[in-house]
Amino acid sequence: MDLLAHTRLCTLPFSFVSVLVLHYWLLFVVVIVVVFNVTVITATLQSNRCVCALDEHREHLPTSHSSTAENDVQTEIPLYITNLTNLEYLDLASATMRGELITEIGRLVKLKTLKLSRNELESSMPSEIGYLTDLLEFDARHNSLYHTLPTELGNLANVMHLLLGSNLLESPLPSTFSAFSNLRALDIGGNQFNGTLPALLGNLTTLVDLAVDTNEFTGMFPDMSRLVNTEKVKLEGNFMFGDLDGMFCSRGRGVLEILSADCTPAIRCTCCDGCPQR
């Protein structure tokens, strides 16, 4: 009996310490999980699946909507996503999204990347897109976005990649484009822009890729001689004219990998790709 009592007395402190250590360990794990769920704020809806790091929200996001085609998702942009106001990365590319580019997208004010390309979005671009002032990349290529671009698009002063090619967008280009002091890639090719190409494009000196091809631009090329960092310039498929030699060819191709324009007598470009030397 004395030996048993002694054993209990010896094991009691150890058990108490073990429980205390376990308690604080579990508390530490809970804190880590909470911090992880708050800080890891990415969402992807691609290849007919929605993957969200905020697991507690997963059940609210649509994962599939059946249609007559096998594995073919047909859904509008989930409204619930716009309540995730800490979201920084949203990838809805190639997800067969249809309907409008919803105004509620403006709630996601912390977004840095927004990918909507290769869907079936059919609407004008909402002015609320201008609330996304932290946006670095906006890719909405290969949709059916129409009408003019909102002037509020110029509020995206930090944007580096603005990719709007292959839509149904119309002139004019907002004068607020001049605010894009960090822009590296601008793609507005394959739309319905017309009139003269705005001179402000020649002031976007950080541009590396410029695509304004396959529109209905007319008139003389604006002065683009200051675009010394460009690697790809696509101007073909328009009705413009002018001397590209003085802007690009005279300094040598340098870093310029692609320079494409219409091969017409109205355009002088001895270094354009695919055009005979003139």
Side-chain angles (χ1 to χ4, degrees), residues 24-250:
Y24 282 105
W25 172 251
L26 291 175
L27 181 61
F28 175 77
V29 170
V30 169
V31 170
I32 291 297
V33 169
V34 170
V35 171
F36 180 81
N37 279 338
V38 170
T39 57
V40 181
I41 45 177
T42 63
T44 302
L45 181 57
Q46 201 168 25
S47 301
N48 303 339
R49 295 189 303 276
C50 179
V51 180
C52 185
L54 296 173
D55 286 336
E56 65 269 28
H57 299 304
R58 187 189 301 273
E59 66 272 17
H60 299 286
L61 301 175
T63 56
S64 64
H65 291 258
S66 60
S67 69
T68 55
E70 184 178 358
N71 297 325
D72 183 23
V73 176
Q74 291 287 336
T75 182
E76 296 181 352
I77 295 178
L79 187 60
Y80 187 81
I81 285 180
T82 63
N83 293 326
L84 305 178
T85 53
N86 287 323
L87 207 62
E88 293 183 356
Y89 182 95
L90 180 59
D91 187 347
L92 300 174
S94 301
T96 324
M97 288 285 158
R98 58 178 172 80
E100 296 185 358
L101 177 49
I102 54 178
T103 59
E104 289 83 358
I105 202 76
R107 296 175 184 170
L108 303 178
V109 295
K110 293 187 178 181
L111 272 184
K112 297 184 184 304
T113 298
L114 176 58
K115 295 184 177 183
L116 303 171
S117 61
R118 298 186 182 279
N119 283 294
E120 299 174 25
L121 297 177
E122 187 174 356
S123 71
S124 59
M125 187 176 295
S127 60
E128 286 79 3
I129 204 77
Y131 294 142
L132 310 183
T133 54
D134 287 345
L135 207 59
L136 300 177
E137 179 179 3
F138 181 26
D139 186 354
R141 290 173 294 179
H142 299 283
N143 280 285
S144 296
L145 300 176
Y146 53 78
H147 289 333
T148 59
L149 292 171
T151 57
E152 289 82 0
L153 196 64
N155 295 343
L156 311 183
N158 296 312
V159 71
M160 299 177 68
H161 296 86
L162 182 59
L163 310 175
L164 305 175
S166 299
N167 279 284
L168 302 171
L169 297 168
E170 304 171 2
S171 290
L173 288 177
S175 60
T176 50
F177 266 38
S178 58
F180 297 147
S181 58
N182 298 312
L183 195 62
R184 292 177 58 83
L186 174 62
D187 181 1
I188 57 171
N191 280 285
Q192 298 177 0
F193 292 110
N194 57 27
T196 57
L197 197 61
L200 62 86
L201 292 182
N203 297 324
L204 302 177
T205 56
T206 57
L207 274 179
V208 176
D209 293 348
L210 172 63
V212 300
D213 56 295
T214 320
N215 280 285
E216 299 174 11
F217 288 117
T218 58
M220 183 176 291
F221 293 115
D223 182 10
M224 293 178 280
S225 59
R226 298 179 61 198
L227 305 184
V228 296
N229 298 308
T230 49
E231 296 177 1
K232 299 177 182 179
V233 179
K234 301 182 69 177
L235 306 169
E236 76 275 10
N238 289 289
F239 305 97
M240 294 184 288
F241 61 89
D243 184 5
L244 296 178
D245 272 4
M247 302 180 201
F248 298 102
C249 304
S250 61

